[in-house]
Amino acid sequence: MEYSIRGDDNTKELFLQGRLTFSDNVVFRKIVDDLKEYGGSKCVFDLSGLEFIDSAGLGMLMLLRDATVGKPFTISIRSADGQVRRMLEIAKFDALIPFED
């Protein structure tokens, strides 16, 4: 997985690309740890460049959600397509993290 971050003091956008699997665990945990300190109002995870996610990747998204509960910002998922969208729908992630489309 590769990622990039854009944004300002109010909104942060994280763009994920490639495959989100167990091998990305260390990198993703760093992203989550960095978000714990974020003081803006909104964080969007853009998955338009993500072509594959496995059960470990879903677990990492759960870590993200758990780490941001009670924080002063909202999180959302944007532009999940194909296999990634199907996995998120099967796991009912829209009940945990809102989808933007």
Side-chain angles (χ1 to χ4, degrees):
M1 173 198 70
E2 294 181 21
Y3 73 96
S4 61
I5 300 173
R6 285 186 260 177
D8 54 30
D9 290 340
N10 292 319
T11 302
K12 184 176 280 200
E13 294 177 299
L14 181 73
F15 297 87
L16 301 181
Q17 297 176 323
R19 302 168 59 89
L20 182 57
T21 65
F22 180 76
S23 64
D24 302 303
N25 187 35
V26 173
V27 172
F28 200 85
R29 283 185 184 267
K30 171 140 179 38
I31 293 169
V32 171
D33 286 343
D34 290 346
L35 278 179
K36 290 179 184 177
E37 306 303 318
Y38 178 57
S41 62
K42 184 176 183 179
C43 183
V44 178
F45 280 75
D46 188 302
L47 305 184
S48 60
L50 201 63
E51 58 194 44
F52 178 83
I53 188 169
D54 65 6
S55 60
L58 293 175
M60 287 182 257
L61 290 177
M62 282 299 301
L63 289 174
L64 164 73
R65 183 206 168 257
D66 292 348
T68 58
V69 169
K71 296 295 182 185
F73 59 89
T74 61
I75 61 170
S76 61
I77 293 174
R78 177 175 53 208
S79 300
D81 292 317
Q83 185 269 350
V84 175
R85 180 70 176 223
R86 285 190 301 280
M87 288 289 285
L88 293 172
E89 288 174 348
I90 289 168
K92 307 244 185 258
F93 259 76
D94 58 334
L96 303 171
I97 301 173
F99 290 4
E100 290 182 11
D101 285 318

